Amino acid sequence: MDKISIGSRSCHAKLRRSGSNFTLSVDDETYEGVFSRKNGGIIQLNLGEKRTMGFSERNGNEIYVYANGINYVLRKESSNTKQAAVEEENDDIVLSPITGKLLDKKVEDGAKVRKDDVIIVLEAMKMEHRLKAPRDGILSKLTVAEVGSQIKEGEVMFELEGE
Amino acid sequence: MIKKILIANRGEIACRIIKACKEMSIGTVAVYSEVDSDSPHVLMADEAIEIGPANPSESYLNFDKIVNAAKDTSSDAIHPGYGFLSENGDFAQYVQESGLIFIGPEPSTIKSMGDKAESKQMMIEAKVPTIPGSDGELTGNIDAMAREIGYPLMVKAAAGGGGKGMRVVRHSGDLDSAIEAAKNEARNSFGNDTLIIEKYLDNPRHIEVQILGDKKGNLVHLYERECSIQRRHQKIIEESPSPAITNKLRNKMGEAAVKAAKAANYSNAGTVEFLYQDGEFYFLEMNTRLQVEHGITEMVCGIDIVKWQIRIAEGETLDFSQKDVKQRGHAIECRVYAEDPSRDFLPTPGLIRKMVLPEGSGIRNDVGVSEGQEITSDYDPLLAKVVVWDSCRNSAINRMDYALSNFVILGLITNQPFLRDIMNNDSFRKAHFSTNFIDENFQNWHFELISPEVLALALLGTKTASITTKTKTSRDPYSPWSSRGSWRSGL
């Protein structure tokens, strides 16, 4: 479960998807729904009887959503570990969670990696942050930044392709 | 003839002025600071000149850089917009002395209206109603003076500001102790214990009148704007006409505004601000520039104020008189700010990742930002003004709610949900409000609980941002985001 918050309010949620169907768990409730992606980045959502058109974009641990005529800025924290924002499940794209120095690139672009392999090591405020592969896959679009250079929060560090 | 205008401003107002110039086939020159190189006003103008670092005093407030840019581009005139140098009489004078046209009133008018004491005295002489009070230092029979003004009244330091040395007195029995306390505070805060007293308005409305005058002395008013919905003493929602006043009072206020403008020897566009309570109105101050909320007046009167500013500066005579000016329908403006209404309206810089503006008949967007733009903490957090028009107030409110609900802006916290809540507030709909409206109704405002649809969207969303940010934000100690400097933001 991820903790999702807006201002001082929060809840725990998890979404499992299979094709265009999804199951959303919010605290103790469960919802079944269907979604599809439309032109212009619009996501159509059918949750029970209700149809919602919206936009959603994520950067680091912030998620920006437009739905039902309201713009939201949500914060997402994984409840597993403290650095969980780094280790999100089902993520194909891994962004730098911090602004800091690139210490090491452990794997080369195109390599096959397994879940939890360390790909990138960053340093900020004298602390090391290890970015791990969120799942098995092929490493692609590894950052071209050189070891020793500065990385900004939200910068794409690498992507995963294939399964 | 003015063939080219330099716009000494940025953001939505610079874009608004450039649009007017383009419609009039007048050339445009934008000026910009280092952090603004990709801002919409820079891209819209025919020419653009960089004038220095983000810090306003080194760019947008710098007389020489602006005037030199105007000379280098062979501009004929400078339009100051609002904020920055728009009410700086010395700048207006410098522009004129440099052989350029300043689009605004005469420097002497700007200077005298900028002095609160001088402008109030001028209005008293012109028989424009002002807030009753002691004209100078408190002497003689204070008790009698207080009775004449009437309670409640305000005791405040003549040198004051920021709420220091101020006391509201509701009963004559409390007057002496309030004076004593205010004196002590004034002495400690300002080193000067001179006090003044004036009538205190508990639940005032802020109503202002737009005026327009040419250089031949023809003056008209374009009726009023109701600007009572304010947070931190800054307007966020304005409408025209005001739902609070009768036609009789409306005309009386218009006439008083024209009288005030005549007394100030006014030409070009200006605004006379009044406080209104219990059927009486009092002169507050005169703004010698284009107002942020001028758009609602344009919508109801069908007069383009910016174009007239330019024509008047060229020496043209008004081609209409007071009887030709009619208010038609109802217009509302909402100011969309990068700020967090749940945290005392704190500015919220960030990157605009997606922006879709509302469309439809009767909807006007005055915008000075674009998708992919980083909103830094260097300047005022105003992102856009949504202005709507409809035949009556209720329809206009509905249209505004529709427009706001179709304003997509992702990537940073804005007051968009808050503005929608105001549109749907009962007291607002019934027009029962004063300048205390937000404090009284939205003291503990929160973002609404996250609905399942929003959560599902959040967890289904694109996991990355295609836009990379630029690191150009300066840590400017004079930034209006951290403190209010000598220039005025959000007007």
Side-chain angles (χ1 to χ4, degrees):
Chain A
M1 295 287 255
D2 294 317
K3 186 183 173 196
I4 311 263
S5 56
I6 183 164
S8 55
R9 302 173 178 210
S10 65
C11 62
H12 288 85
K14 188 168 186 67
L15 186 129
R16 282 185 197 83
R17 74 186 179 213
S18 126
S20 58
N21 295 301
F22 66 85
T23 306
L24 174 72
S25 312
V26 186
D27 296 326
D28 301 328
E29 304 266 352
T30 304
Y31 305 86
E32 302 284 338
V34 186
F35 79 100
S36 58
R37 294 184 193 277
K38 306 288 182 194
N39 289 339
I42 294 172
I43 302 173
Q44 180 185 322
L45 208 67
N46 289 73
L47 209 61
E49 298 289 294
K50 196 174 175 191
R51 187 173 82 140
T52 306
M53 298 287 184
F55 294 103
S56 174
E57 207 174 301
R58 186 148 104 218
N59 179 43
N61 54 3
E62 283 193 342
I63 312 176
Y64 316 106
V65 177
Y66 166 83
N68 300 330
I70 299 283
N71 296 287
Y72 299 86
V73 177
L74 308 172
R75 289 194 77 77
K76 178 181 169 186
E77 296 164 44
S78 255
S79 30
N80 319 346
T81 66
K82 243 197 152 179
Q83 287 134 0
V86 186
E87 303 162 4
E88 292 182 18
E89 286 177 71
N90 304 322
D91 258 356
D92 294 327
I93 298 165
V94 173
L95 311 173
S96 171
I98 51 161
T99 297
K101 195 162 96 181
L102 180 62
L103 277 192
D104 202 357
K105 295 197 263 192
K106 297 281 193 190
V107 190
E108 285 188 0
D109 219 7
K112 228 175 168 165
V113 295
R114 297 193 65 85
K115 186 170 188 286
D116 288 340
D117 281 357
V118 175
I119 314 291
I120 295 266
V121 185
L122 298 168
E123 185 203 64
M125 323 271 289
K126 300 209 156 67
M127 297 255 292
E128 265 190 33
H129 295 258
R130 291 162 181 270
L131 305 194
K132 296 175 185 174
R135 61 172 176 81
D136 296 354
I138 311 279
L139 192 65
S140 76
K141 295 190 186 154
L142 181 68
T143 178
V144 295
E146 282 171 24
V147 169
S149 65
Q150 283 291 311
I151 300 292
K152 215 178 166 277
E153 182 185 338
E155 223 173 279
V156 177
M157 292 289 96
F158 61 87
E159 296 185 14
L160 289 177
E161 284 176 359
E163 203 72 44
Chain B
M1 274 297 279
I2 294 176
K3 291 200 187 73
K4 196 191 275 186
I5 295 175
L6 179 138
I7 296 99
N9 216 301
R10 63 182 301 285
E12 67 83 19
I13 196 60
C15 296
R16 162 72 187 95
I17 296 162
I18 293 169
K19 275 183 205 166
C21 292
K22 287 190 183 261
E23 285 183 27
M24 296 170 84
S25 302
I26 293 170
T28 50
V29 180
V31 291
Y32 63 97
S33 72
E34 283 165 11
V35 293
D36 268 340
S37 57
D38 295 338
S39 292
H41 78 282
V42 178
L43 307 180
M44 269 176 80
D46 300 326
E47 295 168 71
I49 308 281
E50 185 179 319
I51 50 166
N55 185 348
S57 65
E58 294 175 65
S59 48
Y60 296 109
L61 290 175
N62 190 295
F63 288 19
D64 280 320
K65 284 179 178 170
I66 289 167
V67 168
N68 288 340
K71 286 181 177 165
D72 290 347
T73 52
S74 310
S75 300
D76 308 301
I78 293 180
H79 195 308
Y82 56 69
F84 293 126
L85 293 170
S86 61
E87 288 182 289
N88 188 319
D90 292 335
F91 176 70
Q93 191 174 337
Y94 187 63
V95 169
Q96 288 187 348
E97 286 167 3
S98 306
L100 299 162
I101 297 170
F102 178 80
I103 300 177
E106 286 302 310
S108 57
T109 306
I110 299 175
K111 286 177 190 172
S112 56
M113 289 296 108
D115 183 318
K116 282 213 167 197
E118 189 185 337
S119 63
K120 186 173 179 182
Q121 198 48 45
M122 203 184 257
M123 293 309 139
I124 291 169
E125 282 161 22
K127 299 200 162 47
V128 175
T130 54
I131 296 175
S134 56
D135 294 334
E137 201 177 332
L138 271 186
T139 48
N141 191 340
I142 299 170
D143 221 32
M145 193 193 291
R147 261 200 309 278
E148 200 191 310
I149 295 166
Y151 289 91
L153 51 81
M154 171 90 89
V155 179
K156 63 182 182 187
K164 295 251 169 61
M166 274 164 74
R167 284 287 184 285
V168 176
V169 189
R170 294 184 186 277
H171 312 284
S172 58
D174 301 335
L175 184 62
D176 289 346
S177 62
I179 287 176
E180 205 46 50
K183 252 194 181 156
N184 283 333
E185 239 176 73
R187 197 181 306 120
N188 293 334
S189 303
F190 313 112
N192 176 349
D193 65 3
T194 309
L195 299 180
I196 56 173
I197 58 173
E198 61 183 32
K199 189 175 176 64
Y200 176 69
L201 303 175
D202 261 319
N203 285 296
R205 281 173 178 260
H206 177 121
I207 301 176
E208 59 187 30
V209 177
Q210 175 72 50
I211 61 118
L212 207 51
D214 62 26
K215 289 181 175 173
K216 311 251 164 57
N218 301 305
L219 269 162
V220 294
H221 67 80
L222 307 184
Y223 292 98
E224 84 285 7
R225 291 184 289 258
E226 163 78 60
C227 308
S228 301
I229 310 296
Q230 308 182 350
R231 51 103 184 87
R232 309 211 306 192
H233 303 290
Q234 291 181 339
K235 304 159 191 166
I236 52 170
I237 297 172
E238 302 94 345
E239 58 184 302
S240 182
S242 165
I245 57 174
T246 59
N247 270 333
K248 197 176 158 194
L249 199 58
R250 175 167 292 123
N251 290 326
K252 214 171 135 189
M253 281 178 99
E255 282 158 21
V258 169
K259 220 181 333 177
K262 273 217 167 79
N265 192 25
Y266 207 89
S267 72
N268 216 290
T271 294
V272 183
E273 295 190 333
F274 294 106
L275 285 180
Y276 169 83
Q277 187 178 304
D278 306 326
E280 300 288 333
F281 61 90
Y282 311 95
F283 174 84
L284 186 63
E285 62 178 21
M286 181 154 191
N287 295 321
T288 54
R289 55 168 162 84
L290 183 64
Q291 207 89 340
V292 178
E293 59 275 19
H294 71 279
I296 53 173
T297 299
E298 295 184 325
M299 298 283 259
V300 290
C301 292
I303 290 168
D304 190 312
I305 295 170
V306 176
K307 284 186 193 163
W308 270 110
Q309 283 194 292
I310 296 168
R311 290 189 198 115
I312 289 165
E314 279 181 326
E316 235 181 86
T317 310
L318 290 179
D319 66 358
F320 57 91
S321 61
Q322 191 62 57
K323 65 172 174 21
D324 304 317
V325 184
K326 297 271 186 288
Q327 270 176 320
R328 199 180 135 263
H330 199 96
I332 305 176
E333 169 179 280
C334 280
R335 303 188 188 185
V336 179
Y337 278 102
E339 66 182 21
D340 187 346
S342 71
R343 289 193 302 151
D344 203 21
F345 305 98
L346 220 65
T348 47
L351 178 74
I352 300 177
R353 287 163 191 279
K354 184 165 196 71
M355 185 167 79
V356 183
L357 296 171
E359 287 177 60
S361 85
I363 298 174
R364 160 177 166 177
N365 303 299
D366 281 13
V367 184
V369 297
S370 60
E371 210 170 270
Q373 188 178 348
E374 174 128 38
I375 306 306
T376 68
S377 49
D378 300 302
Y379 306 110
D380 188 78
L382 179 65
L383 301 172
K385 303 181 311 199
V386 179
V387 183
V388 302
W389 181 93
D390 210 332
S391 54
C392 68
R393 184 170 189 268
N394 201 43
S395 310
I397 294 173
N398 291 339
R399 180 162 284 172
M400 177 57 85
D401 193 40
Y402 168 83
L404 288 172
S405 69
N406 284 280
F407 195 134
V408 181
I409 183 154
L410 297 187
L412 70 181
I413 295 172
T414 74
N415 65 344
Q416 181 256 359
F418 182 72
L419 293 169
R420 284 203 63 198
D421 281 356
I422 294 177
M423 287 303 123
N424 292 297
N425 175 278
D426 220 35
S427 301
F428 179 75
R429 290 230 166 209
K430 287 181 181 147
H432 291 161
F433 53 75
S434 70
T435 52
N436 304 321
F437 173 77
I438 287 177
D439 284 343
E440 284 168 1
N441 293 277
F442 293 93
Q443 190 64 257
N444 289 304
W445 186 88
H446 286 290
F447 288 99
E448 66 180 77
L449 286 169
I450 316 165
S451 66
E453 304 94 74
V454 172
L455 281 171
L457 277 166
L459 297 169
L460 286 167
T462 324
K463 290 173 205 101
T464 185
S466 52
I467 305 155
T468 48
T469 64
K470 290 182 203 157
T471 50
K472 286 201 280 188
T473 312
S474 69
R475 289 285 154 257
D476 166 18
Y478 303 103
S479 164
W481 296 65
S482 48
S483 68
R484 306 243 170 266
S486 54
W487 63 283
R488 300 173 65 193
S489 68
L491 301 138

PDB file of all heavy atoms in Angstrom, chain B residues 12 21 32 39 53 77 80 113 179 187 214 241 250 276 304 341-342 397 411 413 420 426 430 432:
ATOM      1  N   GLU B  12       1.290  38.182 -17.523  1.00  0.00           N
ATOM      2  CA  GLU B  12       0.057  38.332 -18.289  1.00  0.00           C
ATOM      3  C   GLU B  12      -0.188  39.764 -18.751  1.00  0.00           C
ATOM      4  O   GLU B  12      -0.731  39.971 -19.831  1.00  0.00           O
ATOM      5  CB  GLU B  12      -1.133  37.782 -17.486  1.00  0.00           C
ATOM      6  CG  GLU B  12      -1.518  38.540 -16.218  1.00  0.00           C
ATOM      7  CD  GLU B  12      -2.395  39.734 -16.479  1.00  0.00           C
ATOM      8  OE1 GLU B  12      -3.014  39.813 -17.547  1.00  0.00           O
ATOM      9  OE2 GLU B  12      -2.454  40.610 -15.587  1.00  0.00           O
ATOM     10  N   CYS B  21      -1.408  46.274 -28.840  1.00  0.00           N
ATOM     11  CA  CYS B  21      -0.509  46.909 -29.802  1.00  0.00           C
ATOM     12  C   CYS B  21      -0.622  46.232 -31.169  1.00  0.00           C
ATOM     13  O   CYS B  21      -0.680  46.900 -32.210  1.00  0.00           O
ATOM     14  CB  CYS B  21       0.940  46.827 -29.324  1.00  0.00           C
ATOM     15  SG  CYS B  21       1.281  47.827 -27.874  1.00  0.00           S
ATOM     16  N   TYR B  32      13.141  41.677 -20.635  1.00  0.00           N
ATOM     17  CA  TYR B  32      13.050  40.504 -19.764  1.00  0.00           C
ATOM     18  C   TYR B  32      14.312  40.301 -18.958  1.00  0.00           C
ATOM     19  O   TYR B  32      15.398  40.704 -19.360  1.00  0.00           O
ATOM     20  CB  TYR B  32      12.739  39.249 -20.580  1.00  0.00           C
ATOM     21  CG  TYR B  32      13.802  38.868 -21.591  1.00  0.00           C
ATOM     22  CD1 TYR B  32      14.757  37.899 -21.281  1.00  0.00           C
ATOM     23  CD2 TYR B  32      13.858  39.465 -22.844  1.00  0.00           C
ATOM     24  CE1 TYR B  32      15.730  37.537 -22.206  1.00  0.00           C
ATOM     25  CE2 TYR B  32      14.825  39.111 -23.766  1.00  0.00           C
ATOM     26  CZ  TYR B  32      15.760  38.147 -23.440  1.00  0.00           C
ATOM     27  OH  TYR B  32      16.719  37.802 -24.354  1.00  0.00           O
ATOM     28  N   SER B  39       9.710  33.249 -21.435  1.00  0.00           N
ATOM     29  CA  SER B  39       8.357  33.612 -21.000  1.00  0.00           C
ATOM     30  C   SER B  39       7.518  34.061 -22.189  1.00  0.00           C
ATOM     31  O   SER B  39       8.042  34.610 -23.163  1.00  0.00           O
ATOM     32  CB  SER B  39       8.421  34.739 -19.969  1.00  0.00           C
ATOM     33  OG  SER B  39       9.010  34.256 -18.786  1.00  0.00           O
ATOM     34  N   PRO B  53      19.597  40.522 -14.339  1.00  0.00           N
ATOM     35  CA  PRO B  53      19.256  39.387 -13.475  1.00  0.00           C
ATOM     36  C   PRO B  53      17.800  39.414 -12.982  1.00  0.00           C
ATOM     37  O   PRO B  53      17.103  40.416 -13.140  1.00  0.00           O
ATOM     38  CB  PRO B  53      20.210  39.535 -12.283  1.00  0.00           C
ATOM     39  CG  PRO B  53      21.217  40.542 -12.683  1.00  0.00           C
ATOM     40  CD  PRO B  53      20.592  41.405 -13.722  1.00  0.00           C
ATOM     41  N   ALA B  77       7.384  54.985 -27.171  1.00  0.00           N
ATOM     42  CA  ALA B  77       6.674  55.096 -25.897  1.00  0.00           C
ATOM     43  C   ALA B  77       6.975  53.903 -25.006  1.00  0.00           C
ATOM     44  O   ALA B  77       7.414  52.856 -25.473  1.00  0.00           O
ATOM     45  CB  ALA B  77       5.175  55.179 -26.155  1.00  0.00           C
ATOM     46  N   PRO B  80       4.035  50.964 -18.800  1.00  0.00           N
ATOM     47  CA  PRO B  80       4.589  50.326 -17.600  1.00  0.00           C
ATOM     48  C   PRO B  80       3.750  49.172 -17.054  1.00  0.00           C
ATOM     49  O   PRO B  80       4.197  48.500 -16.112  1.00  0.00           O
ATOM     50  CB  PRO B  80       4.601  51.474 -16.585  1.00  0.00           C
ATOM     51  CG  PRO B  80       3.409  52.305 -16.973  1.00  0.00           C
ATOM     52  CD  PRO B  80       3.274  52.189 -18.470  1.00  0.00           C
ATOM     53  N   MET B 113      -0.756  61.673  -6.117  1.00  0.00           N
ATOM     54  CA  MET B 113      -1.684  60.621  -5.721  1.00  0.00           C
ATOM     55  C   MET B 113      -0.981  59.513  -4.931  1.00  0.00           C
ATOM     56  O   MET B 113      -1.611  58.750  -4.222  1.00  0.00           O
ATOM     57  CB  MET B 113      -2.381  60.013  -6.943  1.00  0.00           C
ATOM     58  CG  MET B 113      -3.384  60.930  -7.596  1.00  0.00           C
ATOM     59  SD  MET B 113      -4.783  61.321  -6.515  1.00  0.00           S
ATOM     60  CE  MET B 113      -4.443  63.028  -6.124  1.00  0.00           C
ATOM     61  N   ILE B 179      -5.613  55.246  23.386  1.00  0.00           N
ATOM     62  CA  ILE B 179      -4.658  56.282  22.960  1.00  0.00           C
ATOM     63  C   ILE B 179      -3.312  56.061  23.644  1.00  0.00           C
ATOM     64  O   ILE B 179      -2.254  56.118  23.009  1.00  0.00           O
ATOM     65  CB  ILE B 179      -5.225  57.696  23.257  1.00  0.00           C
ATOM     66  CG1 ILE B 179      -6.346  57.991  22.265  1.00  0.00           C
ATOM     67  CG2 ILE B 179      -4.132  58.755  23.183  1.00  0.00           C
ATOM     68  CD1 ILE B 179      -7.062  59.312  22.498  1.00  0.00           C
ATOM     69  N   ARG B 187       5.603  54.873  19.690  1.00  0.00           N
ATOM     70  CA  ARG B 187       6.914  55.385  20.101  1.00  0.00           C
ATOM     71  C   ARG B 187       7.961  54.281  19.955  1.00  0.00           C
ATOM     72  O   ARG B 187       9.038  54.489  19.408  1.00  0.00           O
ATOM     73  CB  ARG B 187       6.857  55.893  21.548  1.00  0.00           C
ATOM     74  CG  ARG B 187       8.028  56.796  21.925  1.00  0.00           C
ATOM     75  CD  ARG B 187       7.928  57.255  23.383  1.00  0.00           C
ATOM     76  NE  ARG B 187       6.651  57.891  23.691  1.00  0.00           N
ATOM     77  CZ  ARG B 187       5.798  57.442  24.621  1.00  0.00           C
ATOM     78  NH1 ARG B 187       6.089  56.363  25.328  1.00  0.00           N
ATOM     79  NH2 ARG B 187       4.669  58.079  24.850  1.00  0.00           N
ATOM     80  N   ASP B 214      -8.774  62.195 -21.386  1.00  0.00           N
ATOM     81  CA  ASP B 214      -7.798  62.551 -22.419  1.00  0.00           C
ATOM     82  C   ASP B 214      -7.030  63.801 -22.004  1.00  0.00           C
ATOM     83  O   ASP B 214      -7.255  64.356 -20.926  1.00  0.00           O
ATOM     84  CB  ASP B 214      -8.479  62.697 -23.792  1.00  0.00           C
ATOM     85  CG  ASP B 214      -9.510  63.805 -23.820  1.00  0.00           C
ATOM     86  OD1 ASP B 214      -9.391  64.773 -23.013  1.00  0.00           O
ATOM     87  OD2 ASP B 214     -10.455  63.709 -24.627  1.00  0.00           O
ATOM     88  N   PRO B 241     -21.185  44.718 -12.671  1.00  0.00           N
ATOM     89  CA  PRO B 241     -21.314  45.745 -11.627  1.00  0.00           C
ATOM     90  C   PRO B 241     -21.223  45.170 -10.216  1.00  0.00           C
ATOM     91  O   PRO B 241     -21.245  43.965 -10.035  1.00  0.00           O
ATOM     92  CB  PRO B 241     -22.713  46.315 -11.887  1.00  0.00           C
ATOM     93  CG  PRO B 241     -23.435  45.323 -12.709  1.00  0.00           C
ATOM     94  CD  PRO B 241     -22.434  44.478 -13.403  1.00  0.00           C
ATOM     95  N   ARG B 250     -24.518  54.198  -7.668  1.00  0.00           N
ATOM     96  CA  ARG B 250     -23.542  53.893  -8.723  1.00  0.00           C
ATOM     97  C   ARG B 250     -23.165  55.186  -9.469  1.00  0.00           C
ATOM     98  O   ARG B 250     -21.987  55.485  -9.670  1.00  0.00           O
ATOM     99  CB  ARG B 250     -24.182  52.878  -9.672  1.00  0.00           C
ATOM    100  CG  ARG B 250     -23.398  52.519 -10.891  1.00  0.00           C
ATOM    101  CD  ARG B 250     -24.004  51.276 -11.541  1.00  0.00           C
ATOM    102  NE  ARG B 250     -23.803  50.119 -10.675  1.00  0.00           N
ATOM    103  CZ  ARG B 250     -24.760  49.345 -10.192  1.00  0.00           C
ATOM    104  NH1 ARG B 250     -26.024  49.585 -10.478  1.00  0.00           N
ATOM    105  NH2 ARG B 250     -24.465  48.324  -9.424  1.00  0.00           N
ATOM    106  N   TYR B 276     -16.819  51.152   1.045  1.00  0.00           N
ATOM    107  CA  TYR B 276     -18.256  51.352   1.080  1.00  0.00           C
ATOM    108  C   TYR B 276     -18.837  50.582   2.251  1.00  0.00           C
ATOM    109  O   TYR B 276     -18.505  49.419   2.462  1.00  0.00           O
ATOM    110  CB  TYR B 276     -18.870  50.855  -0.230  1.00  0.00           C
ATOM    111  CG  TYR B 276     -20.373  50.779  -0.193  1.00  0.00           C
ATOM    112  CD1 TYR B 276     -21.155  51.911  -0.439  1.00  0.00           C
ATOM    113  CD2 TYR B 276     -21.016  49.579   0.115  1.00  0.00           C
ATOM    114  CE1 TYR B 276     -22.531  51.843  -0.382  1.00  0.00           C
ATOM    115  CE2 TYR B 276     -22.407  49.505   0.172  1.00  0.00           C
ATOM    116  CZ  TYR B 276     -23.154  50.645  -0.077  1.00  0.00           C
ATOM    117  OH  TYR B 276     -24.524  50.573  -0.007  1.00  0.00           O
ATOM    118  N   ASP B 304     -12.084  49.052 -24.871  1.00  0.00           N
ATOM    119  CA  ASP B 304     -10.747  48.497 -24.654  1.00  0.00           C
ATOM    120  C   ASP B 304      -9.885  49.558 -23.957  1.00  0.00           C
ATOM    121  O   ASP B 304      -9.457  50.540 -24.564  1.00  0.00           O
ATOM    122  CB  ASP B 304     -10.137  48.089 -26.003  1.00  0.00           C
ATOM    123  CG  ASP B 304      -8.862  47.275 -25.814  1.00  0.00           C
ATOM    124  OD1 ASP B 304      -7.998  47.707 -25.020  1.00  0.00           O
ATOM    125  OD2 ASP B 304      -8.724  46.233 -26.466  1.00  0.00           O
ATOM    126  N   PRO B 341      -3.880  27.665  -0.715  1.00  0.00           N
ATOM    127  CA  PRO B 341      -4.901  28.263   0.156  1.00  0.00           C
ATOM    128  C   PRO B 341      -5.038  27.523   1.487  1.00  0.00           C
ATOM    129  O   PRO B 341      -5.604  28.076   2.424  1.00  0.00           O
ATOM    130  CB  PRO B 341      -6.202  28.109  -0.643  1.00  0.00           C
ATOM    131  CG  PRO B 341      -5.820  27.620  -1.987  1.00  0.00           C
ATOM    132  CD  PRO B 341      -4.468  27.017  -1.896  1.00  0.00           C
ATOM    133  N   SER B 342      -4.500  26.303   1.585  1.00  0.00           N
ATOM    134  CA  SER B 342      -4.602  25.582   2.850  1.00  0.00           C
ATOM    135  C   SER B 342      -3.435  25.918   3.778  1.00  0.00           C
ATOM    136  O   SER B 342      -3.401  25.503   4.920  1.00  0.00           O
ATOM    137  CB  SER B 342      -4.661  24.071   2.608  1.00  0.00           C
ATOM    138  OG  SER B 342      -3.406  23.589   2.179  1.00  0.00           O
ATOM    139  N   ILE B 397     -21.690  33.688 -12.570  1.00  0.00           N
ATOM    140  CA  ILE B 397     -21.054  32.819 -11.567  1.00  0.00           C
ATOM    141  C   ILE B 397     -21.020  31.385 -12.080  1.00  0.00           C
ATOM    142  O   ILE B 397     -19.994  30.697 -11.979  1.00  0.00           O
ATOM    143  CB  ILE B 397     -21.798  32.906 -10.205  1.00  0.00           C
ATOM    144  CG1 ILE B 397     -21.650  34.309  -9.606  1.00  0.00           C
ATOM    145  CG2 ILE B 397     -21.241  31.868  -9.226  1.00  0.00           C
ATOM    146  CD1 ILE B 397     -22.493  34.534  -8.354  1.00  0.00           C
ATOM    147  N   GLY B 411       1.237  20.352 -12.095  1.00  0.00           N
ATOM    148  CA  GLY B 411       2.668  20.485 -11.805  1.00  0.00           C
ATOM    149  C   GLY B 411       2.949  21.340 -10.593  1.00  0.00           C
ATOM    150  O   GLY B 411       4.054  21.317 -10.063  1.00  0.00           O
ATOM    151  N   ILE B 413       0.875  23.511  -7.032  1.00  0.00           N
ATOM    152  CA  ILE B 413      -0.361  23.809  -6.309  1.00  0.00           C
ATOM    153  C   ILE B 413      -0.852  25.187  -6.732  1.00  0.00           C
ATOM    154  O   ILE B 413      -0.072  26.139  -6.798  1.00  0.00           O
ATOM    155  CB  ILE B 413      -0.116  23.770  -4.787  1.00  0.00           C
ATOM    156  CG1 ILE B 413       0.247  22.345  -4.351  1.00  0.00           C
ATOM    157  CG2 ILE B 413      -1.347  24.266  -4.014  1.00  0.00           C
ATOM    158  CD1 ILE B 413       0.702  22.240  -2.909  1.00  0.00           C
ATOM    159  N   ARG B 420     -13.056  27.810  -6.998  1.00  0.00           N
ATOM    160  CA  ARG B 420     -14.311  27.107  -7.294  1.00  0.00           C
ATOM    161  C   ARG B 420     -15.192  27.030  -6.051  1.00  0.00           C
ATOM    162  O   ARG B 420     -16.407  27.189  -6.141  1.00  0.00           O
ATOM    163  CB  ARG B 420     -14.023  25.691  -7.810  1.00  0.00           C
ATOM    164  CG  ARG B 420     -13.554  25.668  -9.241  1.00  0.00           C
ATOM    165  CD  ARG B 420     -13.811  24.320  -9.879  1.00  0.00           C
ATOM    166  NE  ARG B 420     -15.236  24.021  -9.940  1.00  0.00           N
ATOM    167  CZ  ARG B 420     -15.748  22.809 -10.125  1.00  0.00           C
ATOM    168  NH1 ARG B 420     -14.938  21.778 -10.255  1.00  0.00           N
ATOM    169  NH2 ARG B 420     -17.036  22.630 -10.166  1.00  0.00           N
ATOM    170  N   ASP B 426     -22.519  29.955  -0.562  1.00  0.00           N
ATOM    171  CA  ASP B 426     -23.837  30.563  -0.452  1.00  0.00           C
ATOM    172  C   ASP B 426     -23.788  32.079  -0.261  1.00  0.00           C
ATOM    173  O   ASP B 426     -24.498  32.824  -0.929  1.00  0.00           O
ATOM    174  CB  ASP B 426     -24.543  29.916   0.744  1.00  0.00           C
ATOM    175  CG  ASP B 426     -25.993  29.672   0.443  1.00  0.00           C
ATOM    176  OD1 ASP B 426     -26.298  29.350  -0.726  1.00  0.00           O
ATOM    177  OD2 ASP B 426     -26.813  29.838   1.365  1.00  0.00           O
ATOM    178  N   LYS B 430     -25.180  34.912  -2.803  1.00  0.00           N
ATOM    179  CA  LYS B 430     -26.186  35.892  -2.369  1.00  0.00           C
ATOM    180  C   LYS B 430     -25.608  37.303  -2.297  1.00  0.00           C
ATOM    181  O   LYS B 430     -26.319  38.239  -1.911  1.00  0.00           O
ATOM    182  CB  LYS B 430     -26.724  35.503  -0.993  1.00  0.00           C
ATOM    183  CG  LYS B 430     -27.651  34.293  -1.030  1.00  0.00           C
ATOM    184  CD  LYS B 430     -28.166  33.996   0.367  1.00  0.00           C
ATOM    185  CE  LYS B 430     -29.085  32.782   0.357  1.00  0.00           C
ATOM    186  NZ  LYS B 430     -28.963  32.018   1.621  1.00  0.00           N
ATOM    187  N   HIS B 432     -23.619  38.468  -0.157  1.00  0.00           N
ATOM    188  CA  HIS B 432     -23.487  38.932   1.225  1.00  0.00           C
ATOM    189  C   HIS B 432     -22.028  38.820   1.621  1.00  0.00           C
ATOM    190  O   HIS B 432     -21.578  37.778   2.073  1.00  0.00           O
ATOM    191  CB  HIS B 432     -24.313  38.053   2.177  1.00  0.00           C
ATOM    192  CG  HIS B 432     -25.779  38.221   1.995  1.00  0.00           C
ATOM    193  ND1 HIS B 432     -26.698  37.304   2.438  1.00  0.00           N
ATOM    194  CD2 HIS B 432     -26.502  39.212   1.406  1.00  0.00           C
ATOM    195  CE1 HIS B 432     -27.920  37.710   2.124  1.00  0.00           C
ATOM    196  NE2 HIS B 432     -27.823  38.869   1.486  1.00  0.00           N
TER     197      HIS B 432
END
